Amino acid sequence: MPDYFSAFFYNNTFKAFSLSHVAALIVIVIVNIMMVVILKKLDNPKVNKIFCYTVSIVIIVQEIGRSVWYAAYGIFSCADSLPLHLCGFAIILMPFMLIMKNKTVFELLYFWGLAGATQALLTPDLTYDFPHWVYFRFFFAHGLIILGCIYMVFVEKYRPAWKSILKTFIVTNILMLLIAPLNWATGGNYFFMCHKPETGSLLDFLGPWPWYLLSLQGVGLLIFVIYYMPFFIKDLIEGKRRKRTA
């Protein structure tokens, strides 16, 4: 089997903000913008339905493919192979948002997807570099998470509310409480609750363990508020416009 599929014989190690990293980010930005612009211009419910089903199926299939690859090489482990990070939950819930148009799932994925996937793309917890298939799968999956979220905002016209921030914050902490015993039992590090990722990340600025878990609560809320700001500003502008025309 070629080296770019192997789990053991691949020496090209991924480095943050290398050419392969920056190139992947540029491609994701361009493709996401193009897809949303095209879908908005077409404004065709049938095309939108095909898009939603395609993205949902593809993102689930790639996640299954990841698990199959782990199992094929005998490296599947409950400690680090389960989809129990925020982006993993986003992948699992994506069909409920895109196909079933579930508002609550959208609220969660808007913040998880944009905040979590963006952070993952900027500071990838990734070993294999281009052209290994894991490299492509990583950027492809996280790019699709962001695409699904911006599609719902710009094409389907969904939006979060202030209460969506609190809802997402509470659900996130409940998940952390549920996953903490699994981390303890398996020696895992889901949600990075036990230690920081080996690659650089935002957690490096939040103090040592376990204090960064407390700092992360405040930072998480701040990030959620920042992602809500475009809607807040839009509401302010529209409110002032209505007052002028009243």
Side-chain angles (χ1 to χ4, degrees):
M1 183 172 289
D3 286 350
Y4 44 82
F5 280 107
S6 173
F8 306 115
F9 305 107
Y10 195 75
N11 297 321
N12 197 8
T13 303
F14 180 85
K15 296 179 181 178
F17 297 104
S18 60
L19 177 60
S20 61
H21 184 192
V22 174
L25 295 179
I26 292 173
V27 169
I28 288 172
V29 170
I30 293 174
V31 171
N32 275 254
I33 293 175
M34 287 181 59
M35 287 299 300
V36 170
V37 169
I38 291 171
L39 290 170
K40 279 179 65 67
K41 187 173 182 179
L42 291 175
D43 192 22
N44 188 316
K46 290 184 179 180
V47 173
N48 291 346
K49 185 175 182 179
I50 292 172
F51 168 82
C52 290
Y53 273 90
T54 301
V55 171
S56 298
I57 293 171
V58 168
I59 201 168
I60 293 298
V61 168
Q62 68 79 33
E63 186 64 26
I64 294 173
R66 182 183 74 96
S67 297
V68 170
W69 183 77
Y70 279 135
Y73 281 97
I75 56 176
F76 186 92
S77 169
C78 290
D80 57 19
S81 303
L82 300 174
L84 296 181
H85 288 291
L86 280 184
C87 291
F89 283 108
I91 288 171
I92 294 170
L93 293 175
M94 186 70 72
F96 294 93
M97 179 180 75
L98 292 176
I99 297 174
M100 301 180 68
K101 301 296 188 292
N102 186 287
K103 179 66 183 301
T104 298
V105 173
F106 163 76
E107 292 172 324
L108 294 174
L109 294 198
Y110 176 78
F111 296 108
W112 286 355
L114 293 184
T118 300
Q119 172 68 18
L121 288 170
L122 292 176
T123 58
D125 186 16
L126 183 63
T127 301
Y128 303 97
D129 200 359
F130 178 90
H132 199 279
W133 93 275
V134 171
Y135 162 90
F136 286 106
R137 190 215 65 83
F138 178 89
F139 286 104
F140 181 72
H142 289 84
L144 282 182
I145 292 172
I146 294 176
L147 177 59
C149 293
I150 64 174
Y151 165 83
M152 292 295 292
V153 172
F154 289 102
V155 180
E156 298 288 348
K157 306 300 182 182
Y158 277 55
R159 56 160 296 170
W162 278 113
K163 64 181 180 181
S164 305
I165 297 175
L166 180 60
K167 185 185 299 184
T168 305
F169 182 77
I170 291 173
V171 172
T172 303
N173 277 275
I174 290 174
L175 285 176
M176 291 179 70
L177 290 174
L178 293 175
I179 291 172
L182 180 64
N183 279 336
W184 177 81
T186 65
N189 189 34
Y190 297 111
F191 276 61
F192 301 112
M193 283 188 284
C194 299
H195 59 81
K196 301 175 184 180
E198 295 181 4
T199 54
S201 73
L202 176 65
L203 298 182
D204 294 337
F205 301 96
L206 302 182
W209 185 91
W211 306 115
Y212 73 79
L213 296 175
L214 296 176
S215 304
L216 189 59
Q217 298 286 317
V219 172
L221 271 177
L222 177 61
I223 291 174
F224 290 169
V225 170
I226 290 173
Y227 276 105
Y228 181 74
M229 279 298 101
F231 300 98
F232 176 70
I233 294 171
K234 180 183 177 182
D235 290 342
L236 285 179
I237 294 173
E238 290 181 350
K240 290 180 180 179
R241 188 176 299 156
R242 283 194 295 268
K243 287 182 179 179
R244 286 198 300 265
T245 58

